[in-house]
Amino acid sequence: MAAPVLPRSTPTAEGIDPAAIASLVEAAERGRHGLHSLMVVRHGAVVAEGWWTPFAPDVRHLVHSVSKSFLSTAIGIAQEEGILSIDEPAVDFFPGVDGPRDVLLKHLLSMSGGHDADTMDLMRLLPGEHWPRIYFASPFIYPPGEHFVYDSGGSHLLSAALQSRTGMPLPQFLEPRLFQPLGLDTPPWAPSPGGVSLGGTGMSLLTEDIAVLAELYRRGGRWSDGDGGDRQLVPQAWVDEATRAHVDNGPSATVDWGLGYGYQFWRSRHGYRMDGAFGQFGLVIPELDLVVAMTAGTADSASELQLVWDHLLPGVDRAHGPAADGAGDDQLARRLGSLELAAPEFLAAPPAAAARVSGRAIALPFTTLGIATATLHLDGDRTTLETVGTDGSVERLGAARTAWVPGETRLWPHPELTSTRTGTRAGWVDDAAFEVHEQCIESAARRIWRFEFGDGDDVRLTVGLDLPFWTPRTERVAGRLA
């Protein structure tokens, strides 16, 4: 793990009531909002940070569309260096591709290229096709620059345009220009089947990586390295342009998604933000010198933002009273150091069925995961799920009823994760059903294996994942104890 980039301080020292941050944490856990990490930065210093076990500060998290704000940064730097202009026709970057010349790079940046649907959906369905050709072959319904449609395909086109001009994928382009000067390790960025960084998604970041880019924008693109060095990494003009509204994206059922869209940044009720699916956020609130980074696994991102607005913001520059002696800071630090994901509800003692099924292979007629057999080895509170693939490969996943057990799996069918680190708990949910909760600690996803045992040797296996682009979402297979 790279050394921390941002200095550390305390809430009280930077004018935040620690009780406000504690209130946010308590409300998040009470409402089961699915937070995985939280980092609060005031006046350029981290004043609070916490990870819900099994998540950890040194584990990268798939951040989905937070990637778009890093993409925007790359485009801004490239324009400053004269590599491209956002006023260029997008089609000019792709020789041999036909398309309207009035669709400019700036329209892709502001999600106003003229389509009526996300072209990335079709790109993913046709991995062998030339994705820029798919973008331009899709019907243009609206005049460029006039109508907002969230289009990750347009974001990918920006990535492809930059690579076509420089010969470098996004991580390589940004490494000397952004990541190294910021003191960050260059993160992985999933490529398309054609070898171009996805652009609009696919980055895996540490929580502090998110906070650092947000803080860079709060500082107007200028960065001091702590050794007397001071550089304008991102032009101030780009920071201003990228974070102001260029297109109307309202009205929206959720307020913070209807306040205008910039260049791959969203406007918020308070400032602006990087925003990724399932609750990945980098919030920038310039008027308060405040940055908040969060990773999560939630279907309700709006409620996650509401936690910040309702609990944290009222505590900024609020009189601390008795907490001003630092006791509140210490109490908050202890609380943040003991966070843990909510545990599944398992039986405290195994039922009689445990002895009958432990160690017996369950033969499966088929699974999209490519598993031929699955075996539960039960030993008190500890469990090992052993799977044998149709190719003969063996994978063993450890779990416990009372703690998240770290592990790794290759059985993770996702275009941006071929394998993943996990934290796993397992136990009986009733007298005949056993569940293994496999939390991916590199993304928002959790896979749940549910084994239902009949009176004889029949077993029903359900494997569930509920995120887009994951296969299977829910799979049910009738197996049999060997």
Side-chain angles (χ1 to χ4, degrees):
M1 176 186 176
V5 173
L6 296 168
R8 266 51 180 177
S9 185
T10 65
T12 298
E14 306 303 331
I16 299 179
D17 186 348
I21 302 174
S23 176
L24 186 160
V25 170
E26 295 302 325
E29 295 196 331
R30 188 168 56 250
R32 291 184 175 251
H33 288 275
L35 286 190
H36 296 165
S37 70
L38 170 70
M39 183 173 285
V40 180
V41 183
R42 183 91 199 279
H43 304 320
V46 176
V47 300
E49 54 190 317
W51 288 261
W52 277 258
T53 300
F55 295 91
D58 62 344
V59 177
R60 294 185 179 278
H61 196 290
L62 194 62
V63 296
H64 301 285
S65 290
V66 166
S67 309
K68 291 180 171 68
S69 299
F70 284 82
L71 166 66
S72 173
T73 303
I75 298 296
I77 293 172
Q79 178 168 261
E80 179 70 7
E81 293 183 8
I83 294 171
L84 53 72
S85 166
I86 64 171
D87 291 313
E88 289 185 74
V91 73
D92 286 358
F93 290 82
F94 308 103
V97 175
D98 293 325
R101 292 183 52 78
D102 57 348
V103 178
L104 311 180
L105 292 186
K106 66 183 179 183
H107 299 136
L108 308 185
L109 284 161
S110 61
M111 301 288 186
S112 60
H115 292 114
D116 63 351
D118 190 343
T119 57
M120 177 59 77
D121 294 339
L122 185 56
M123 292 174 182
R124 288 189 184 274
L125 289 172
L126 299 170
E129 296 293 328
H130 186 240
W131 283 11
R133 186 170 283 110
I134 290 175
Y135 181 87
F136 288 109
S138 300
F140 289 86
I141 308 301
Y142 306 99
E146 294 187 8
H147 187 81
F148 174 86
V149 171
Y150 196 76
D151 187 359
S152 292
S155 300
H156 176 71
L157 213 69
L158 289 166
S159 174
L162 183 58
Q163 183 164 330
S164 75
R165 190 63 59 86
T166 65
M168 293 183 285
L170 281 167
Q172 186 180 348
F173 176 80
L174 284 175
E175 184 170 20
R177 295 167 171 86
L178 186 73
F179 299 128
Q180 287 182 353
L182 290 175
L184 303 178
D185 291 336
T186 301
W189 203 326
S192 71
V196 177
S197 297
L198 288 175
T201 186
M203 291 189 87
S204 290
L205 300 174
L206 302 178
T207 308
E208 188 159 358
D209 295 344
I210 302 171
V212 166
L213 186 71
E215 176 63 17
L216 175 65
Y217 269 73
R218 188 195 68 80
R219 298 181 189 182
R222 198 164 191 83
W223 195 258
S224 299
D225 60 17
D227 296 322
D230 190 69
R231 293 175 59 184
Q232 190 75 39
L233 299 180
V234 182
Q236 175 73 64
W238 184 261
V239 171
D240 295 340
E241 280 296 291
T243 61
R244 73 174 180 87
H246 287 271
V247 62
D248 181 9
N249 61 354
S252 173
T254 49
V255 174
D256 288 290
W257 280 261
L259 298 174
Y261 193 77
Y263 287 163
Q264 312 282 285
F265 285 84
W266 292 84
R267 295 295 305 176
S268 301
R269 274 175 283 177
H270 304 278
Y272 55 90
R273 70 185 187 276
M274 301 178 272
D275 186 323
F278 315 115
Q280 325 314 314
F281 286 122
L283 312 181
V284 185
I285 307 172
E287 62 270 22
L288 296 177
D289 282 350
L290 185 68
V291 158
V292 180
M294 294 185 285
T295 60
T298 179
D300 187 4
S301 297
S303 67
E304 188 181 339
L305 281 184
Q306 199 66 46
L307 291 173
V308 177
W309 308 153
D310 290 348
H311 296 273
L312 175 59
L313 295 197
V316 178
D317 294 327
R318 184 169 70 189
H320 306 309
D325 61 2
D329 294 330
D330 293 341
Q331 183 177 2
L332 175 64
R334 288 192 295 272
R335 180 72 179 88
L336 292 172
S338 62
L339 300 173
E340 184 176 57
L341 281 186
E345 295 184 2
F346 297 135
L347 300 180
R356 179 171 65 90
V357 304
S358 180
R360 296 180 65 185
I362 303 167
L364 302 168
F366 68 89
T367 69
T368 56
L369 294 175
I371 298 169
T373 66
T375 307
L376 291 169
H377 299 279
L378 308 177
D379 183 11
D381 282 347
R382 304 286 296 191
T383 299
T384 300
L385 170 61
E386 179 182 293
T387 58
V388 178
T390 54
D391 60 357
S393 61
V394 179
E395 184 166 297
R396 295 178 179 87
L397 184 71
R401 181 179 65 84
T402 56
W404 295 98
V405 176
E408 186 172 355
T409 179
R410 298 183 310 279
L411 303 174
W412 206 256
H414 185 283
E416 296 163 28
L417 289 173
T418 56
S419 65
T420 184
R421 296 164 68 180
T422 58
T424 307
R425 296 178 86 136
W428 292 91
V429 294
D430 59 38
D431 288 346
F434 188 91
E435 290 185 353
V436 179
H437 288 239
E438 188 183 2
Q439 175 65 59
C440 173
I441 61 173
E442 295 177 312
S443 83
R446 181 182 297 188
R447 177 163 58 193
I448 300 176
W449 308 68
R450 181 180 174 90
F451 298 85
E452 297 176 79
F453 299 96
D455 293 334
D457 290 337
D458 290 338
V459 184
R460 181 179 182 181
L461 170 63
T462 303
V463 183
L465 281 171
D466 61 359
L467 297 183
F469 314 127
W470 299 70
T471 305
R473 293 188 181 185
T474 300
E475 178 178 15
R476 295 178 177 87
V477 181
R480 191 168 181 82
L481 285 165

